[in-house]
Amino acid sequence: MIRPTPPRLTAIAAVLTTVLLGMSACGGADATDASKLAADAALPDQVPEGTVLRLGLPPIEVALKASGLIDEVEGYEIEWANISGGPKSIEAFRADALDASYVADIPPLFATWTDTPVKIVAVTENPDPLDNPIYELGIAPKSKVETLHDLKGKKIAYSPGQAQGALILKTLEAAGLTQDDVELVEIQSVDDTYSNALASNQVDVAPLGGTQLASYIAKYGRDGATSIRTGIRDDSTLIYGPEETFEDAGKAAAFKDFLRLWVKSEKWVDEHPDEWIQAYYVDHEGLTFEDGKKVFETSGQTIIPEGWDEFIKRHQETADILSKEQDHPELDVTELYDRRYEKVIADAVKEGQ
């Protein structure tokens, strides 16, 4: 059973009040702790009546609804939230208002470094990541940047806690530059903030991906807006949520079923590209069909890897770079992964072949 999509989260204080009242009603934290599912316990199969998953997974929501797979949700309810990206998802996790979200590989690191324990339960990557990057460097209309070496002395949008920030650090390193060689302008990438900063020439360069890049070029290309590629692999995306989600036996069991449906929805997208482009890129994101097709055929392609070892290895390399460049504590990223779901997903992929 699916509940209608609730209104956007607007008042975190109100949510926190509701949470505190709920804890008091059910006996507080001690009662919750007593029923925690251990991290090494087998994932349960039975979903208790009344279980609800609160999910900020817009692409998956659209795929499930467009494909009709949403009708296969049984034994639990889903509340959809129009939330994506690191800053919004972490804020919602802290307010106990969301159980999982879909992001790049930086938000789980940043959440951990800012005392918001999370777990990663699914990963995806691009089948041809260097030829089809998620991000390109958007160039402001009045800026002259044609190669990575032209970045020297430029103002670059930079968000330390997001994938875009990590990409900038890696790009500078690849170009033989340091942070001292450029002016990093700290701006969170939320909605159209980077596109607007470029269009107003507030910054010279900002990483833009997918629909944002297509929209930016469509709007400002006539004024001289362009983009260049970094040559850096940036395709790591994942589903993650607060630890509490997967310590709750009911939610943990529901997530097993949900991830199986997610795998089926990914196959549906592969087999029905035109329907997917219309449903997501046109109806949900507001692109033309032609622009949506371009995005889908490049950065929009995803695959579900058979195993997580290589993905985790790359994630560790990224964490090490951020620890060094942003002065964070060293982090063993293997502790962030709930690998019980690795087998769940692998089995679902095999079943769909």
Side-chain angles (χ1 to χ4, degrees), residues 28 35 38 54 59 64 94 173 187 234-235 267 273 280 289 314:
S35 60
R54 303 163 301 170
L64 289 174
R94 289 171 178 163
E173 183 178 50
I187 306 173
D234 64 358
D235 61 315
K267 184 178 181 181
Y280 184 67
F289 188 89
R314 295 196 306 274

Side-chain angles (χ1 to χ4, degrees), residues 224-266:
T226 59
S227 67
I228 62 172
R229 293 191 171 187
T230 66
I232 305 295
R233 183 168 185 173
D234 64 358
D235 61 315
S236 296
T237 51
L238 52 88
I239 298 174
Y240 81 136
E243 279 189 348
E244 289 84 354
T245 296
F246 310 105
E247 291 173 341
D248 181 309
K251 290 182 185 289
F255 235 92
K256 280 178 63 176
D257 180 73
F258 176 78
L259 289 176
R260 293 188 187 108
L261 289 180
W262 165 64
V263 170
K264 293 173 73 172
S265 75
E266 288 288 302

Side-chain angles (χ1 to χ4, degrees), residues 121-300:
V121 296
V123 304
T124 66
E125 52 194 15
N126 191 293
D128 198 357
L130 296 181
D131 285 341
N132 297 317
I134 292 178
Y135 297 104
E136 294 186 19
L137 298 183
I139 310 301
K142 295 182 180 180
S143 299
K144 296 187 182 300
V145 177
E146 297 180 355
T147 71
L148 297 185
H149 297 291
D150 295 331
L151 295 175
K152 187 172 184 179
K154 298 298 189 292
K155 294 182 292 184
I156 304 176
Y158 177 66
S159 179
Q162 295 181 272
Q164 295 91 325
L167 178 64
I168 291 300
L169 295 179
K170 292 177 181 179
T171 300
L172 292 177
E173 183 178 50
L177 301 173
T178 69
Q179 295 185 48
D180 294 332
D181 293 318
V182 299
E183 182 182 346
L184 296 180
V185 181
E186 193 163 322
I187 306 173
Q188 277 194 354
S189 177
V190 179
D191 299 325
D192 295 328
T193 53
Y194 276 12
S195 296
N196 293 337
L198 287 167
S200 63
N201 293 288
Q202 180 184 352
V203 296
D204 298 300
V205 178
L208 297 175
T211 57
Q212 291 180 342
L213 177 63
S215 296
Y216 173 67
I217 298 299
K219 288 180 181 178
Y220 304 107
R222 71 189 68 176
D223 300 323
T226 59
S227 67
I228 62 172
R229 293 191 171 187
T230 66
I232 305 295
R233 183 168 185 173
D234 64 358
D235 61 315
S236 296
T237 51
L238 52 88
I239 298 174
Y240 81 136
E243 279 189 348
E244 289 84 354
T245 296
F246 310 105
E247 291 173 341
D248 181 309
K251 290 182 185 289
F255 235 92
K256 280 178 63 176
D257 180 73
F258 176 78
L259 289 176
R260 293 188 187 108
L261 289 180
W262 165 64
V263 170
K264 293 173 73 172
S265 75
E266 288 288 302
K267 184 178 181 181
W268 178 85
V269 168
D270 289 340
E271 295 175 347
H272 302 82
D274 287 351
E275 292 176 54
W276 167 244
I277 292 166
Q278 181 66 43
Y280 184 67
Y281 293 105
V282 179
D283 296 340
H284 191 273
E285 295 295 306
L287 296 182
T288 65
F289 188 89
E290 291 73 20
D291 284 343
K293 186 175 182 179
K294 290 178 184 176
V295 174
F296 174 67
E297 290 177 348
T298 55
S299 61

Side-chain angles (χ1 to χ4, degrees), residues 23 26-38 244 247:
M23 287 179 63
C26 67
D30 289 342
T32 302
D33 290 343
S35 60
K36 279 184 179 179
L37 180 69
E244 289 84 354
E247 291 173 341

